[in-house]
Amino acid sequence: MKLLYNAYIYTQDSSHPTESAIVIDRERIVAVGEANNLLPQYPNAEKQNMGGRFMMPGLTDAHLHLKHYSLSLQKIDCETETKEECLRRVEERARKAEAGEWILGHGWNQNVWGSWPTAAELDAIAPNNPVYLTAKSLHASWANTTALKLANVNLQTSDPQNGQIQRDEKGDATGILLESAMELVGDVIPQSSIDEIANAIEKAQSILWKMGLTGVHDFDRRDSFMALQQLHTQGKLKLRVLKNLPVELLDQAYELGLGAGFGDDWLRIGSIKAFMDGALGPHTAAMFQPYIGEENNRGILNMDGEELFEYGRKAAQVGLAMTVHAIGDRANHEVLNAYEQLRNYEKENNLPALRHRIEHVQVVHPDDAARLGKMNIIASMQPIHATSDMLMADAFWGERSRLAYAMKTQLDHGARLALGSDAPVESPNPFWGLYAAVTRRRADASPSADGWYPEQKLTMAEALEGYTIGPAYAANMENRLGRLAPNYLADLIVLEKDPFTCDTDDLLTMQSSATMVGGEWVYTSITGDGA
Ligand SMILES: [Zn+2]
């Protein structure tokens, strides 16, 4: 047993909002209270003086891509101010690479650079290596000619469904692949082995602990799941992972009778993930009205509400909720229509009301804004997208941006928030997310002291709930995760400053001083008793 005392504990438990001591037996919390009461009650517990530090439940990122994030830590960072800097980094890597070795990178954004880059620019610096660089949005990629050749992309190649090979006036591929066309090259890159992925996840896990994360909802696929199972079997998984399944595998899940919650408190099945549309960056998010400056472009809708309902109905029969990517107002509308049907279906068939979610909820038509709350649909949102995307949103959605990344609106209408990062699209650092949520500003203080559409700011308490209780609820684990209370899992973090009272800019450099998962300190920088 452990007894941590002399802490300022923010419990997320409304009956005891703050306390100073906590008792932990193996992986669970036994008691939370005042040190004066607990010290005599547990005389044999191993005591640790926390030096007055702030302590709170471990944070969960409710939407990230664990395999991609973990592997991305090994890729070239292409999130550069200029294209030239990105090219310089590729050139540096190419110089060290063996001929034929794939050069991978991630993070560029043509909107920051002012124009789309081309294959020729990569050919000039890496003629002997296939190069494949994914955009920050993950909805576009940039390949060189060697990579395009390996993928057999040429004059004759036709666009795949829901994708586009960007071409110049002569019809030659420019090197830019949009949406599903990305797979043409993506599919010929040698896959990382399960061992390699497991290794990468194990390394990433310690970075996440230091950031203050003790759980994630993972949206990657089979090999991510296999790597996680391998780590779990080896006793190395010390992160609570909720694993979502792609809708393409719904039939298999249905045949197996595989329901939500299968697994254990470390690794368990979540929901069925489907995509309703694309994204803002490449102008593929499905909108009711055209993109500004593109009269004929309203984005791409992958399916309609009816089709989604059919998936949802099938999933509900084995107890799987739906979790649907929807960015544009039209996409969100279609998902909400499907969920309305699904709620009726659940009622008519005496099925439980499942914890359906919408991923991103980026722009919602005013007529639809209250529907998530009304139907108890979880709004899985990423605060940092608001500030990363604000310039794009203003440019491409204009006036409609008032309704975008509207976390406060969703809360006001009674929706539950589950917050995350969509890493590797953004850093999974939850304190950057908290900063964006409470300030609606970037780290450089733009666009203004007041923030972008400041009426959408969350309070720190609301934002923290979105990183703790919200994701726990989405995972059907709110009776044992997201709070520091008796019988809850002992997942907690220790901070040097109180996020409620510190200077908001301190959030940008904040990280966990010590992270406990399942009653075990998995990371600590605190030396000595109470030092
Ligand atoms: Zn995602």
Side-chain angles (χ1 to χ4, degrees):
M1 248 190 241
K2 292 188 182 77
L3 197 165
L4 315 180
Y5 68 101
N6 189 22
Y8 181 83
I9 308 176
Y10 181 73
T11 64
Q12 289 278 38
D13 177 1
S14 50
S15 61
H16 304 259
T18 57
E19 293 289 1
S20 65
I22 184 167
V23 183
I24 294 150
D25 183 12
R26 282 157 294 179
E27 61 166 6
R28 299 231 174 209
I29 296 165
V30 178
V32 185
E34 291 307 317
N36 291 346
N37 296 329
L38 295 181
L39 284 165
Q41 271 185 58
Y42 297 92
N44 299 323
E46 179 195 325
K47 291 166 201 66
Q48 193 174 352
N49 181 344
M50 299 311 295
R53 290 183 176 86
F54 186 92
M55 191 183 280
M56 70 177 172
L59 305 176
T60 293
D61 188 315
H63 185 133
L64 58 62
H65 300 260
L66 194 52
K67 176 191 107 175
H68 281 107
Y69 170 67
S70 303
L71 292 175
S72 78
L73 297 172
Q74 301 165 356
K75 287 181 187 171
I76 300 171
D77 178 6
C78 297
E79 194 173 351
T80 55
E81 286 297 313
T82 63
K83 180 170 65 185
E84 289 65 34
E85 173 57 19
C86 175
L87 288 167
R88 193 194 62 73
R89 293 178 187 184
V90 174
E91 187 175 14
E92 194 183 307
R93 182 72 65 95
R95 240 183 282 126
K96 291 182 213 147
E98 288 171 36
E101 189 186 322
W102 280 82
I103 294 176
L104 305 176
H106 170 77
W108 57 272
N109 179 346
Q110 81 283 1
N111 295 302
V112 170
W113 292 350
S115 64
W116 291 102
T118 66
E121 289 164 319
L122 293 172
D123 296 343
I125 53 168
N128 303 317
N129 297 82
V131 181
Y132 182 72
L133 313 172
T134 44
K136 193 171 165 65
S137 68
L138 284 175
H139 290 265
S141 59
W142 173 22
N144 70 351
T145 302
T146 311
L148 293 172
K149 271 193 191 133
L150 286 169
N152 282 320
V153 174
N154 52 42
L155 278 169
Q156 281 79 43
T157 316
S158 50
D159 285 344
Q161 205 189 350
N162 300 325
Q164 192 198 340
I165 302 165
Q166 197 186 73
R167 294 180 181 281
D168 60 21
E169 312 86 72
K170 288 184 290 178
D172 288 328
T174 62
I176 298 300
L177 304 166
L178 298 167
E179 301 293 336
S180 68
M182 294 168 68
E183 292 159 23
L184 295 171
V185 174
D187 287 349
V188 299
I189 299 171
Q191 296 295 308
S192 304
S193 69
I194 302 299
D195 280 347
E196 285 164 348
I197 296 165
N199 266 330
I201 292 177
E202 198 185 350
K203 284 193 191 117
Q205 175 175 252
S206 34
I207 293 172
L208 298 176
W209 292 330
K210 204 169 166 180
M211 286 179 175
L213 292 166
T214 55
V216 299
H217 295 184
D218 180 29
F219 286 82
D220 277 338
R221 297 183 172 214
R222 179 179 188 268
D223 43 3
S224 183
F225 194 26
M226 289 180 70
L228 285 162
Q229 289 176 70
Q230 181 174 315
L231 288 172
H232 188 22
T233 307
Q234 294 168 344
K236 293 177 183 164
L237 183 65
K238 292 286 156 64
L239 203 59
R240 314 268 175 205
V241 183
L242 184 76
K243 196 73 203 66
N244 295 292
L245 310 174
V247 72
E248 293 80 8
L249 298 179
L250 172 57
D251 287 346
Q252 286 84 341
Y254 178 86
E255 292 301 331
L256 281 165
L258 184 64
F262 182 78
D264 59 20
D265 287 342
W266 292 108
L267 181 58
R268 58 202 273 114
I269 297 293
S271 341
I272 293 288
K273 168 80 185 293
F275 280 86
M276 198 44 115
D277 65 346
L280 165 63
H283 309 187
T284 49
M287 302 296 292
F288 281 116
Q289 300 301 326
Y291 283 78
I292 287 175
E294 286 180 279
E295 246 170 81
N296 296 314
N297 184 14
R298 290 165 201 250
I300 297 172
L301 197 64
N302 295 339
M303 60 177 115
D304 61 13
E306 205 55 48
E307 195 180 344
L308 179 59
F309 167 63
E310 290 305 327
Y311 289 129
R313 186 163 73 159
K314 191 161 198 179
Q317 291 171 48
V318 287
L320 287 166
M322 295 300 294
T323 174
V324 185
H325 166 114
I327 305 276
D329 50 13
R330 175 80 204 282
N332 278 284
H333 180 75
E334 291 292 332
V335 177
L336 288 163
N337 288 351
Y339 282 167
E340 202 167 300
Q341 277 183 278
L342 206 46
R343 285 289 185 232
N344 290 333
Y345 175 81
E346 288 167 351
K347 254 185 232 132
E348 285 160 13
N349 292 279
N350 291 317
L351 293 168
L354 293 169
R355 298 191 177 171
H356 305 293
R357 14 195 303 183
I358 301 182
E359 301 307 309
H360 312 308
V361 201
Q362 261 174 29
V363 58
V364 179
H365 190 277
D367 296 346
D368 289 328
R371 292 174 77 195
L372 284 94
K374 212 172 131 207
M375 293 192 277
N376 197 20
I377 303 301
I378 296 157
S380 170
M381 301 177 77
Q382 299 74 34
I384 197 145
H385 282 176
T387 49
S388 307
D389 293 0
M390 62 185 181
L391 300 178
M392 281 198 294
D394 284 337
F396 308 139
W397 289 343
E399 254 298 285
R400 290 166 285 185
S401 299
R402 187 171 50 81
L403 312 161
Y405 313 89
M407 287 175 282
K408 186 71 173 174
T409 300
Q410 286 307 321
L411 267 190
D412 288 348
H413 285 300
R416 283 171 206 265
L417 296 179
L419 303 179
S421 66
D422 210 2
V425 175
E426 297 288 344
S427 161
N429 186 336
F431 290 100
W432 292 3
L434 287 164
Y435 176 85
V438 301
T439 66
R440 301 277 290 191
R441 284 197 308 255
R442 289 186 184 176
D444 65 4
S446 65
S448 65
D450 218 19
W452 188 65
Y453 293 105
E455 62 276 15
Q456 293 297 339
K457 279 181 203 171
L458 299 182
T459 64
M460 181 54 75
E462 289 165 343
L464 281 178
E465 198 170 316
Y467 281 100
T468 51
I469 297 170
Y473 177 84
N476 286 288
M477 292 175 83
E478 74 276 14
N479 65 351
R480 57 194 183 285
L481 204 62
R483 292 186 173 87
L484 299 181
N487 293 320
Y488 274 63
L489 294 163
D491 295 1
L492 57 86
I493 58 173
V494 179
L495 303 176
E496 297 303 313
K497 286 180 179 162
D498 177 346
F500 287 90
T501 56
C502 72
D503 189 317
T504 43
D505 282 348
D506 289 342
L507 294 170
L508 295 168
T509 51
M510 199 170 274
Q511 56 181 41
S512 176
S513 299
T515 301
M516 176 182 279
V517 187
E520 183 190 329
W521 289 116
V522 290
Y523 165 76
T524 183
S525 63
I526 302 173
T527 50
D529 195 45

